[in-house]
Structure formats: C-alpha cells, structure tokens
Amino acid sequence: MGNGMIATAGGPVDRPAPVGIDDLRDEEDAPVIDVRALWATLYRNRVMMAAIIGISLLLGLASAVLMPRIYTAHASVQIDQQVARVLGTEDRDPQAGNPDTDRFLQTQIDVFTSRAMARRVSDSLGLTGNDSFLRRMTGAREIKVKPEDGGLETLVLDTLQHNLSVELRRNSRVVNVSFASRDPALAAEIANSYAANFIEGNIQRKFSTSAYSRQFLQNQLALAKTRLEGSERDLIGYSRSARLIDASAGTRAEGTEGPRSLVTSQLVQLNADLSIAEANRLKAGARWEQARSTPLMALPEVQANEAIQRLMQKRSEARAELAETRRRLKPEHPVVIQAMAEIAGLDQEIRTQALEIRNAIRSQYDTAARQAGAIAGQVQLLKSSTLAEQDRGIRYNILKRDVDTNRQLYESLLQRFKEVSAEAGVASNNVTIVDTAEQPRRPTSPRPLLNMVIALAGGIALAALYAIGRDYIDDSIRDPQDVEAKLHLPLLGVVPDAGSGDAVGALDDPKSEIAEAYHAIRAAIELSSNQGLLRSILVTGSNKSEGKSTTSVALARDFASLGRRVLIIDADLRRPSLHRVFGVPLPDRGLSTVLAQLNPAESAIQPTQFTGLSFLPAGRLPPDPATLFAGDAMRALLDRLGEDYEVIVIDALPVLALADATQLTAIAQATVFVAQAGGALFGQVRTAVSRLTRAGGNVIGVVITKYSAKRAGYSGSQDYYRYRYEDASA
C-alpha cells in the first residue's frame, strides 16, 4: 500500500511520520548548552560531587596545616647601564636601544644566579664549614651527605641556587632578590649577602680590568717610543745625505700628502694648471665642433643673441607688412619691391652677425688650444727633473711614513695611558642597593586562604568532570524529551514512578497520577492512526521489569472502560505474569495450547472483574515458544479473535531477550515500546526498535515508565503530572 501504510491482521495503518522540517528547525533552534540538562546532571550527582569537593577542601586544609612554614626575604638593587662619569674620561656604554638594554640586564641577572655568585656568597658567610646552614634550611636535626651528592659544598651551592629568586620588574632597572628559608633570619642574611657580593664583584671586575689595561698600555708605550725615536733618526740622516729639501711644510692640509721638493711642487702646480687648460680646450673644441656641424641659424648662441632677436622680430614685422601690401598692390609695384629689398637687407644683416658669433666660438677654441700646448711644454720640462729626483725620494717617503705612523701610535697610547691612570682610583659603580632585606615576620608559604581557594576550585573542577563524565558514559534514558530527538519516535506518554506502591493497584483510582498517565497514553494511541481504532496492539520493551505488563493491563482496562470489547493476551510463554495481575492461577489452557491446536481459543479465554475485558493466559509453558509464533497460527488466531473483540492487547517478551517479540510485531497492527526511565539505555532501545522495524513491525511510539523528576535531576516544575484534584467544597 502507498502513503507509508502496511497491511496487518487488523487492516491498514499509518506508520509514524518521519522527522520533518519542523523537527529539524527545532534542532537548529536548540541552544548550544542545555542549562536544564546540565543542572539535572549536577543534581543527579550531587552527593558524589559534594564528597569530592569536601575531600578536596580537607586536602587543602591538611596542606595548610602540615606544610612547613617558609619565609622569604627581599632585597633590591638598581643596575644602571651607563656609569656616572667622574673625570669625564671614564668608559661608558653608549646609549643603547631597548634590545641592548634588555640583553644587558638579562646578563646581569644571569651573573646573579650563576654558580660562581653562589660560591662567593658561601665563602663570605662560611656556609661550607659545617652542616648548620643545611639544617636551618631543611629543619632536620642531622644532615647525611651521600657520596653521590657531590659533598657538602655541592649541596650548599645547590640549595642556594634552588631557593634564590631574581626578578626584573618590567620597564625598570630595579632587580628584586628573594631568598626563601625556614629560618627568617637566615633568609634575610642570604638575600643581603647576595646583593653585597654582587656589588663587590662588579667593582672588582672593573678594577681588575683597569689594572690590566694600565699595565698593557705601559708596555706598549715603551715599545712605541723606541720605534718613533729610531725612525726619526733614520729620516734625518737620509735627507741630509740625499740633499732633499722638504717643501711641504705649511702647504699640506692635515691628513693629506703634499709635494716633498721644490721641483715636485712646481710640477704639481703646473700639472694642475694643465688639467684645467686641457679641460677648457676640450670644452671649446666641443663647442666649435657643434657650431660647425649645426646650421648657422640653429646655433643656441645665435638664437640667444639679443641683436639677432631684434633683427628677426623686425624682419617678421616687415614680412607681415609685405603680405598686407601684396593683397592691395601688384608684385611689380614700387612699394612692394622696396619692401622686399628691405627684408633682403635684414636677412643679410642677420647672417653677418650669426657668422661673427660662430667665428668668435672658433677663436675661443684656438686660444684654449694654444694655452694648453704652452702649459704642456712646461710640464714636459719639469718631468725630466722630477724623474731624476724620484729615485732619491722613494727611500725618503718610506722613512717619512714610518715616522708619522710611529708618532700617531705613540700619541694615542700616551693619551689612553693618562686616561686609564686617572680612572683607576675613581672608578664608579653602576650597581647600588635600593632596599636591604629585613627579617620577614610572616611566612610566605603555605597560604591557607590560597590553598583553600585552590582546593575548592580543584574540587569543583573534579566534581564537575566526574558528573559530566559519568553522565556522558551513562546512556540511560533520563529525560523523556530525548526520546523523539534520539530515537525519532513519538513519545506516547510518561508514567510516573509508583515508588514502593503497587502500580497496578494505582489504576483503581482514576484520579491517580499513574491512571491519568495511562489515560493520556491510550488517547495518544488512538490518535496515532487516521484509519480508525487500532485492532491489535503489541506491547514490548528492551529488557524485563520495565513496566511492560503493567502497561498492557492499563491500556486494556482503559480501552474497556470506554465500552469497547477488549482482549488481553499474555504472549510471554517463558515467564508469564498477567495471571497474577488478574488474581488467577496459571491454567493449563491458554495461548500455548491454542496455538498448538489442542483446544479452541474460546475455551481458554477467561472473563475478568473488569467489564468488557477478557483475558487469554499463556497456558502451559511450551518447550520451544518461538516455534509456535513462527507459523501462521498466531496471525490466524488474531484474525479470528478480531471478529469478537474491538481491541486486542498483546503482552510480549522483551525484544533483546528472544526472537518472540520480533515475530509478533509483524503480526500486530501496532507496536508500543516500553522503556524504563533511568533503567533502559538508548543504545539498547535503538537496537530493539531497529530489530522490530526490520521485522516489519509498526512501532507507533514509546512509553516511558517509572519516571521520577527528582531522581532524573529536575525540579518539581519538570514533573509531567503535577495536576492534583481537589474537593470543590473545600
């Protein structure tokens, strides 16, 4: 059949509608964090969470009570990168940028925390003489030094470095030096010793560097003086023997080389003049070549000449007048002829002046060439004299350079030696103490309030992790609202938990919560099909003791109370229970004997104390119940009983136990799945529903039984049945 209907023994019936657009929209509109579900999770695990938080607080309290008292003393020193200048000649670091400043300060901190600094502190206080320091640090009565520990000195140095803390404040040159110890007096003593030894070591390094520099400069100065004196004697002796006259005195700029003799001086001067004359000749030649190869009137000098510009302007005006005259007079008219003669005269005058300008350019070139030639001749005459003198000047120049080099070296060494000698006694220190360490009055560890806060935070985190983890692992059905979202099946109703009472007995009171719940479930079943009343309803679940039989009885009684003829069948041929509900012993005749065709169904059906409700018990327990349901006997039985009864309710075995329910679901017109709140797992329910669906069953919805809002972790406002009847006369 079409439209999602299946054919059963009771006729066609609609399957449950699939998840539609509205369902998807609801899922999209759902909040990312379900606060109600989160609160329910915390509420369900409140006892264990409270225990975890309590244990954490006890551990925090124990740590605050049992941990040893640690005292921390603080001293601070200021480290300046630039040293104050006393004489104005001392070494000082250049103004450094941020990277260099940070690197310098980090270097000083590394020196503070170095092994060498710990050894200086230990030696200054005599800490390695005995184990008194270690006993005061640990609180032990006796210190046993093992060979693998490296000896007493190694333990002392390790203890100093381990308990020292050096911190550089941001954007500051003040370094905080802290030392932690069980003895407050010892903590202050060690912190102050670190600060004092750091300053002393800094001064000692500067003094050692200055003394070494002074001794080194003194040795180098003596050597430089000896070399300078020797080179000067050699220079004077050679200049006398070679009869060389130094003409450079007073003529050279400082740091430059000048001529060494009179001949060379003249040659240098003439050579400079020759360079200038040659440059002038080349400029004049280039100018002439350009003037010769350029049309006369295109020369820049011609075009820039004011006289020629005036003549050309006058010629333009004459041509304009000629053009105006030609429009009025004939070409042979005397006025026209006179105007043309005037224009020709102007052209001749312009050309004459242009030729004079070009001839002037040539004259300039000839003059520059004659001057360059004359100077070149003088240079050639002096070159021969200079070449003769060069052989004697080579040795002189070598000796002169030695003298200059030795003099510069000697003067720089002498100046530096004077500066270092003056600085030796007045070296300033760039490290100063800002605060000295005082004996601490209160311990810095443990901090009871901080320990309790940490313990509380840790306990809350562990408790929340436990609750969320347990809830994540626990797949049981707690919130009925999750049924439709996770199983994609309609929720037919929720039956509240009867507690220690009898759920079947509560059905006798039509105003009880359980009776009201089953009224709603019966109404939901009637409305689940648009083809009329369902004729055969199978009730099953995933496991036993989930309220399946109670649901079957409640539905049968509810349908019968509406005036319908109802038959309830106990199809659990392995552990039947409905006969006890109706207060009758398990008869020999029942469903098993009817399916085995040992007796007719009419002889096995029993009336009940409820009007319109009949009961077909299970009968004798067969050796193989699955075989009885495997054939067409059950389908034929329902068809035959359907003629006498309007509704047939079948109480079947759980799905996951055996195959009986999967065989019966294909025969029944509709299947109602029962799941216990907090007992059934979503995984098991999905598996059971999947098996029923694959077997051809029409699962119209799920009934949640034994639901308790408080046990599920919700407040009373989340209870599905809070409506109470009250006496109207009250």
Side-chain angles (χ1 to χ4, degrees):
M1 294 184 181
N3 301 325
M5 293 187 294
I6 62 172
T8 63
V13 66
D14 286 345
R15 286 189 179 277
V19 179
I21 297 177
D22 293 338
D23 299 323
L24 296 177
R25 185 180 296 111
D26 292 340
E27 293 182 2
E28 292 177 356
D29 295 339
V32 177
I33 299 177
D34 190 348
V35 179
R36 186 179 63 88
L38 181 61
W39 170 254
T41 299
L42 299 179
Y43 184 81
R44 284 194 299 270
N45 299 277
R46 60 189 182 279
V47 177
M48 192 63 187
M49 291 177 63
I52 293 175
I53 295 175
I55 293 174
S56 299
L57 291 176
L58 289 177
L59 292 176
L61 180 61
S63 66
V65 173
L66 300 178
M67 286 177 62
R69 299 300 186 264
I70 303 298
Y71 297 86
T72 303
H74 303 277
S76 59
V77 296
Q78 178 180 345
I79 303 176
D80 294 323
Q81 188 172 2
Q82 292 186 351
V83 182
R85 303 184 71 179
V86 179
L87 299 178
T89 58
E90 300 91 334
D91 284 340
R92 61 182 295 178
D93 294 334
Q95 185 67 32
N98 289 334
D100 292 336
T101 301
D102 295 341
R103 191 180 300 112
F104 169 77
L105 294 176
Q106 184 60 47
T107 301
Q108 300 303 310
I109 292 177
D110 293 340
V111 172
F112 238 124
T113 58
S114 64
R115 192 80 168 179
M117 183 58 64
R119 185 173 282 106
R120 288 179 63 93
V121 172
S122 174
D123 294 341
S124 63
L125 298 178
L127 302 181
T128 57
N130 51 55
D131 61 353
S132 174
F133 168 70
L134 295 177
R135 285 189 284 106
R136 294 173 69 183
M137 288 294 297
T138 60
R141 296 183 178 180
E142 182 180 359
I143 300 297
K144 295 182 179 180
V145 181
K146 300 179 181 179
E148 57 270 18
D149 294 336
L152 181 61
E153 181 181 5
T154 301
L155 286 178
V156 170
L157 297 180
D158 290 342
T159 303
L160 287 173
Q161 288 186 292
H162 178 72
N163 292 276
L164 175 69
S165 175
V166 181
E167 179 186 2
L168 175 64
R169 297 182 177 91
R170 184 175 179 85
N171 298 326
S172 173
R173 295 178 181 270
V174 177
V175 176
N176 184 37
V177 184
S178 305
F179 192 83
S181 172
R182 292 190 178 188
D183 189 340
L186 180 62
E189 182 182 7
I190 298 297
N192 288 326
S193 179
Y194 259 102
N197 278 277
F198 180 77
I199 295 177
E200 181 181 348
N202 187 61
I203 297 176
Q204 185 175 359
R205 286 194 301 272
K206 290 180 177 294
F207 183 80
S208 299
T209 302
S210 177
Y212 174 80
S213 300
R214 193 167 61 254
Q215 181 64 34
F216 174 78
L217 289 173
Q218 187 174 6
N219 296 335
Q220 295 297 317
L221 191 60
L223 294 176
K225 182 179 181 182
T226 302
R227 286 195 297 267
L228 177 60
E229 292 174 351
S231 61
E232 288 179 340
R233 283 194 297 269
D234 293 341
L235 177 62
I236 294 173
Y238 179 76
S239 62
R240 287 178 179 177
S241 63
R243 304 183 67 83
L244 294 174
I245 300 174
D246 189 358
S248 63
T251 63
R252 286 179 297 166
E254 183 178 357
T256 62
E257 289 292 335
R260 296 297 182 182
S261 66
L262 295 176
V263 176
T264 305
S265 178
Q266 293 177 0
L267 178 61
V268 170
Q269 183 63 40
L270 283 176
N271 191 58
D273 295 341
L274 177 60
S275 298
I276 297 173
E278 190 67 25
N280 292 334
R281 184 187 67 80
L282 292 174
K283 290 181 181 178
R287 186 180 178 190
W288 166 241
E289 289 295 332
Q290 181 182 6
R292 186 172 58 180
S293 61
T294 304
L296 182 61
M297 298 308 298
L299 288 174
E301 293 82 355
V302 174
Q303 295 179 354
N305 188 272
E306 295 181 358
I308 294 177
Q309 289 178 356
R310 287 195 296 272
L311 290 174
M312 292 179 68
Q313 183 178 2
K314 189 175 181 181
R315 185 184 61 181
S316 298
E317 294 174 354
R319 286 180 176 177
E321 292 178 357
L322 176 61
E324 180 66 25
T325 303
R326 282 180 174 178
R327 283 196 297 269
R328 295 184 290 103
L329 302 176
K330 295 181 179 182
E332 60 274 9
H333 195 278
V335 176
V336 175
I337 295 173
Q338 183 182 358
M340 293 177 62
E342 184 181 354
I343 293 174
L346 290 173
D347 290 339
Q348 182 61 34
E349 188 176 356
I350 291 173
R351 178 174 178 79
T352 300
Q353 290 193 12
L355 288 173
E356 290 177 357
I357 292 174
R358 187 166 65 179
N359 292 333
I361 295 174
R362 181 174 183 178
S363 297
Q364 291 176 1
Y365 167 68
D366 293 339
T367 301
R370 285 193 298 271
Q371 289 177 352
I375 296 174
Q378 291 296 324
V379 170
Q380 291 298 328
L381 292 176
L382 290 174
K383 279 184 178 180
S384 58
S385 300
T386 303
L387 291 174
E389 197 178 54
Q390 281 182 350
D391 293 337
R392 292 175 295 165
I394 294 175
R395 176 64 179 167
Y396 180 87
N397 292 333
I398 294 174
L399 295 175
K400 182 64 174 176
R401 282 194 295 270
D402 286 343
V403 171
D404 294 340
T405 302
N406 291 332
R407 181 178 289 109
Q408 292 176 1
L409 179 60
Y410 178 77
E411 290 175 353
S412 62
L413 288 174
L414 181 61
Q415 179 65 25
R416 184 58 183 157
F417 179 76
K418 292 178 181 179
E419 294 175 357
V420 172
S421 299
E423 295 169 5
V426 292
S428 61
N429 188 23
N430 63 325
V431 182
T432 55
I433 294 181
V434 179
D435 291 322
T436 57
E438 298 180 357
Q439 181 173 331
R441 294 185 294 273
R442 293 188 181 87
T444 56
S445 176
R447 299 169 63 181
L449 181 59
L450 179 61
N451 286 15
M452 295 303 292
V453 170
I454 294 176
L456 178 61
I460 292 175
L462 289 176
L465 183 64
Y466 165 81
I468 295 174
R470 181 186 176 190
D471 195 65
Y472 179 79
I473 296 174
D474 188 2
D475 193 34
S476 60
I477 298 176
R478 297 188 181 276
D479 189 355
Q481 295 182 5
D482 293 338
V483 170
E484 295 185 357
K486 295 184 178 181
L487 299 179
H488 301 293
L489 289 174
L491 177 64
L492 298 177
V494 180
V495 181
D497 187 16
S500 58
D502 182 11
V504 177
L507 297 175
D508 295 333
D509 182 7
K511 297 182 180 180
S512 66
E513 293 181 351
I514 294 179
E516 289 289 350
Y518 280 115
H519 291 336
I521 294 171
R522 183 261 309 154
I525 293 174
E526 287 183 317
L527 297 174
S528 64
S529 174
N530 57 5
Q531 301 295 325
L533 182 65
L534 297 174
R535 305 301 298 274
S536 57
I537 303 173
L538 177 70
V539 180
T540 185
S542 57
N543 289 302
K544 61 181 181 179
S545 303
E546 290 186 326
K548 170 180 58 62
S549 298
T550 302
T551 300
S552 301
V553 173
L555 293 177
R557 289 179 55 178
D558 215 53
F559 278 117
S561 66
L562 298 178
R564 296 188 176 95
R565 300 187 306 278
V566 181
L567 173 65
I568 183 171
I569 301 176
D570 190 352
D572 188 351
L573 301 184
R574 303 174 188 272
R575 296 179 59 184
S577 60
L578 290 185
H579 62 281
R580 289 193 293 271
V581 174
F582 291 108
V584 297
L586 181 63
D588 292 337
R589 294 184 177 185
L591 179 62
S592 60
T593 57
V594 172
L595 294 178
Q597 298 182 358
L598 298 179
N599 56 271
E602 291 75 6
S603 62
I605 295 175
Q606 300 180 10
T608 65
Q609 64 270 33
F610 305 105
T611 304
L613 176 61
S614 301
F615 170 49
L616 177 59
R620 292 195 301 266
L621 301 183
D624 188 7
T627 304
L628 296 178
F629 297 130
D632 295 332
M634 188 64 183
R635 185 184 301 275
L637 176 61
L638 291 180
D639 290 340
R640 187 169 64 255
L641 294 176
E643 299 175 357
D644 299 327
Y645 298 95
E646 296 178 81
V647 179
I648 300 176
V649 179
I650 306 170
D651 182 22
L653 272 74
V655 178
L656 298 181
L658 297 163
D660 297 6
T662 56
Q663 293 174 338
L664 291 173
T665 189
I667 301 172
Q669 193 176 9
T671 300
V672 175
F673 196 91
V674 177
Q676 178 184 345
L681 303 179
F682 273 111
Q684 295 178 349
V685 173
R686 276 192 292 267
T687 301
V689 171
S690 177
R691 291 179 61 180
L692 293 173
T693 304
R694 287 197 300 269
N698 176 28
V699 182
I700 61 174
V702 179
V703 174
I704 300 299
T705 61
K706 304 180 182 180
Y707 174 75
S708 172
K710 184 176 181 180
R711 189 166 57 245
Y714 298 104
S715 62
S717 61
Q718 301 296 329
D719 196 346
Y720 281 81
Y721 298 96
R722 287 182 51 83
Y723 187 82
R724 298 291 184 270
Y725 289 94
E726 296 181 359
D727 189 359
S729 60

